[in-house]
Amino acid sequence: MNDDNIVKFQRPKPKKQPRTITPAVRKAFIWLAATAAVLLVWAYYQYFAVPPVQ
């Protein structure tokens, strides 16, 4: 018997869930970004800003 015209039902493969960021990692990233912003502002005024004219 030829099985070419028989429909075989198979379970669909489960979709992978997208990775979510845990709250602890998100909080650490926010602190890291805030610290980097403060350091960049400090470096700008320390090294690149034009001193005020007196």
Side-chain angles (χ1 to χ4, degrees), residues 1-29:
M1 182 170 181
N2 193 357
D3 289 336
D4 289 341
N5 62 352
I6 295 176
V7 176
K8 296 180 182 177
F9 293 98
Q10 297 177 349
R11 283 189 180 153
K13 294 182 180 177
K15 294 180 182 177
K16 290 187 178 180
Q17 295 291 335
R19 299 184 89 185
T20 58
I21 298 174
T22 62
V25 173
R26 183 179 305 230
K27 194 173 190 179
F29 180 72

Side-chain angles (χ1 to χ4, degrees), residues 27-49:
K27 194 173 190 179
F29 180 72
I30 290 171
W31 276 105
L32 182 66
T35 304
V38 169
L39 286 174
L40 285 173
V41 169
W42 173 81
Y44 172 76
Y45 283 109
Q46 185 70 27
Y47 298 112
F48 299 114

Side-chain angles (χ1 to χ4, degrees), residues 16 51 53-54:
K16 290 187 178 180
V53 178
Q54 294 186 11

